[in-house]
């Protein structure tokens, strides 16, 4: 039985007490709102820190991390349970292979997710990458084409390697702001999200530092250069996304095998055209014909048709 595979979330005890308290408080909130489980999907390019982030959240080394090798070819779901709440977190292979979007990996992820509901998407990239390019846009587009662009209203951007000194003397928060803006722009373009679609619920961007050398504060919590204890901050942002009023994404057969979910409305186009032809254009043509038939013809036309009685 699947439930046998859900282990107790002991990794929480690895966190310093103040982080544990904050996490248990957030889990308590879920319980109050009758949310008993949460499924988080982690996606992004290869080598950006997806697996490391999964390990950091769970508090155990549950998935393999590798600097050089390409990742495991299959998605992996890790489930942990604590105080009546179950966390499912799905690590996936990188979405880029040889400079292109890896459609094979994406297909495999879709099939793995069949009949699962995605509550949150963590889109992982690095803070210390200075540029965004067309490939980033293609990856975002591929995610939106596979799961519908609605998945982005359940999405948050995670930036790893967050313990850095920005280049060119830029202040840390300015650097973070500029990197976030660049990525958010690529997400809006790639997923074709209109400004009005994201009203009030902009996609959050969260910083993560998976390295064991991450600085800590007086309570032993891992903190970023801006002083933020990032694990509770990440989990808090996840809970905000869950309660932002948008719908979770059910991955059903229709979503996997059907056409691009963003094109669904377009299937009506031929029907609408047929309707217009039969019920709008045809009646107008008929009315014009009748009008012409009823019209009194000028004498010269009748004469030309040889119908006039009068001789000129
Ligand atoms: P994935 O391919 O996206 O799953 O990336 P991994 O989690 O396997 O990480 C790739 C490499 O980056 C590994 O050597 C990790 O130790 C390293 N790494 C991941 N996240 C961080 C981070 O936040 N900071 C630092 N310094 N290294 C990281
Ligand atoms: Mg990995």
């Amino acid at each position: 039985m699947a439930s046998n595979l859900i282990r107790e979330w002991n990794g929480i005890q690895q966190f310093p007490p103040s982080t544990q308290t904050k996490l248990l408080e957030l889990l308590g909130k879920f319980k109050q709102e009758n949310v008993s489980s949460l499924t988080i999907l982690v996606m992004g390019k290869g080598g950006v820190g997806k697996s490391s982030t999964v390990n950091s959240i769970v508090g155990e080394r549950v998935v393999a991390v590798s600097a050089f090798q390409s990742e495991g070819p299959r998605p992996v779901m890790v489930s942990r349970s604590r105080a009546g709440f179950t966390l499912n977190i799905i690590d996936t292979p990188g979405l880029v292979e040889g400079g292109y979007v890896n459609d094979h990996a994406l297909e495999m992820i879709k099939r793995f997710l069949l009949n699962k509901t995605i509550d949150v998407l963590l889109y992982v990239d690095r803070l210390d990458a200075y540029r965004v390019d067309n490939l980033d846009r293609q990856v975002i587009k591929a995610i939106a084409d596979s799961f519908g662009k609605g998945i982005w209203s359940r999405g948050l951007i995670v930036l790893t390697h967050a313990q850095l000194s920005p280049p060119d003397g830029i202040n840390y928060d300015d650097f973070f702001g500029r990197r976030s803006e660049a990525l958010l722009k690529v997400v809006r373009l790639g997923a074709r999200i209109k400004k009005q679609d994201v009203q009030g619920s902009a996609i959050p961007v969260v910083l993560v530092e998976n390295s064991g050398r991450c600085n800590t504060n007086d309570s032993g919590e891992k903190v970023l250069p801006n002083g933020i204890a990032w694990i509770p901050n990440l989990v808090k942002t996840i809970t905000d996304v869950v309660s932002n009023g948008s719908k979770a994404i059910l991955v059903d057969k229709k979503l996997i095998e059907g056409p691009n979910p963003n094109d669904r409305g377009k299937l009506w186009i031929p029907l609408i055209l047929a309707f217009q032809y039969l019920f709008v254009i045809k009646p107008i043509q008929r009315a014009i014909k009748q009008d012409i038939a009823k019209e009194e013809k000028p004498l010269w036309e009748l004469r030309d048709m040889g119908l006039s009685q009068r001789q000129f």
Side-chain angles (χ1 to χ4, degrees):
M1 251 170 68
S3 57
N4 290 340
L5 301 172
I6 303 175
R7 297 213 197 122
E8 185 69 15
W9 190 359
N10 291 325
I12 277 196
Q13 288 154 13
Q14 307 296 315
F15 297 127
S18 43
T19 297
Q20 283 189 43
T21 313
K22 288 175 203 160
L23 295 187
L24 292 172
E25 219 176 271
L26 291 167
L27 297 192
K29 261 194 200 141
F30 277 138
K31 216 168 174 193
Q32 266 173 19
E33 292 167 21
N34 286 328
V35 178
S36 61
S37 76
L38 202 65
T39 302
I40 301 174
L41 174 64
V42 182
M43 287 205 279
K45 296 183 287 189
V48 292
K50 297 181 297 299
S51 304
S52 306
T53 304
V54 168
N55 291 340
S56 293
I57 294 174
V58 178
E60 281 175 60
R61 201 178 177 287
V62 282
V63 284
V65 165
S66 160
F68 301 108
Q69 274 166 14
S70 66
E71 307 154 279
R74 284 171 202 293
V76 177
M77 181 158 98
V78 177
S79 299
R80 290 291 180 272
S81 184
R82 180 89 189 193
F85 173 85
T86 304
L87 172 79
N88 304 304
I89 184 157
I90 301 168
D91 189 21
T92 62
L95 291 178
V96 169
E97 180 78 46
Y100 292 95
V101 172
N102 185 350
D103 290 323
H104 175 66
L106 208 57
E107 270 312 303
M108 206 150 55
I109 295 170
K110 276 162 87 175
R111 296 201 177 275
F112 181 86
L113 293 174
L114 181 62
N115 297 329
K116 293 189 174 67
T117 298
I118 306 307
D119 295 298
V120 179
L121 165 71
L122 298 191
Y123 181 75
V124 183
D125 204 336
R126 294 172 62 143
L127 176 65
D128 62 344
Y130 304 149
R131 304 274 161 86
V132 290
D133 58 25
N134 192 41
L135 188 57
D136 294 303
R137 195 167 150 180
Q138 295 301 323
V139 173
I140 305 285
K141 181 176 183 299
I143 296 174
D145 287 350
S146 303
F147 302 102
K149 61 180 164 183
I151 195 162
W152 287 103
S153 47
R154 284 287 180 140
L156 60 118
I157 297 175
V158 168
L159 297 179
T160 61
H161 294 73
Q163 184 163 286
L164 62 72
S165 302
D168 310 326
I170 307 173
N171 152 295
Y172 186 83
D173 285 327
D174 285 348
F175 180 79
F176 171 40
R178 277 157 77 171
R179 174 84 178 122
S180 305
E181 246 332 292
L183 268 169
L184 285 169
K185 195 172 165 197
V186 143
V187 169
R188 282 195 296 267
L189 287 171
R192 295 211 198 90
I193 299 171
K194 296 186 203 95
K195 276 248 161 73
Q196 63 262 35
D197 289 349
V198 286
Q199 252 178 9
S201 60
I203 301 169
V205 186
V206 200
L207 295 170
V208 160
E209 177 50 72
N210 293 308
S211 163
R213 276 173 292 163
C214 183
N215 289 334
T216 50
N217 61 15
D218 294 342
S219 321
E221 294 183 290
K222 289 183 170 180
V223 286
L224 302 171
N226 59 8
I228 291 175
W230 70 264
I231 291 178
N233 183 52
L234 171 61
V235 177
K236 166 79 174 67
T237 314
I238 289 172
T239 61
D240 291 344
V241 168
V242 172
S243 48
N244 73 6
S246 61
K247 274 209 296 197
I249 310 297
L250 169 66
V251 184
D252 56 11
K253 249 183 138 64
K254 205 167 70 191
L255 189 71
I256 288 188
E257 284 166 8
N260 178 339
N262 301 313
D263 287 344
R264 270 193 197 142
K266 293 181 189 157
L267 292 177
W268 291 98
I269 291 174
L271 267 178
I272 293 168
L273 288 177
F275 179 87
Q276 282 183 343
Y277 179 72
L278 286 174
F279 297 100
V280 181
I281 298 175
K282 273 255 158 176
I284 291 174
Q285 280 177 341
R286 221 175 296 133
I288 293 172
K289 267 192 195 152
Q290 279 166 3
D291 264 9
I292 293 171
K294 273 193 229 142
E295 188 190 29
E296 278 199 13
K297 299 230 166 16
L299 279 174
W300 58 266
E301 201 178 320
L302 293 172
R303 183 196 66 200
D304 287 351
M305 290 162 73
L307 294 173
S308 173
Q309 304 296 316
R310 278 161 67 184
Q311 300 297 318
F312 292 89

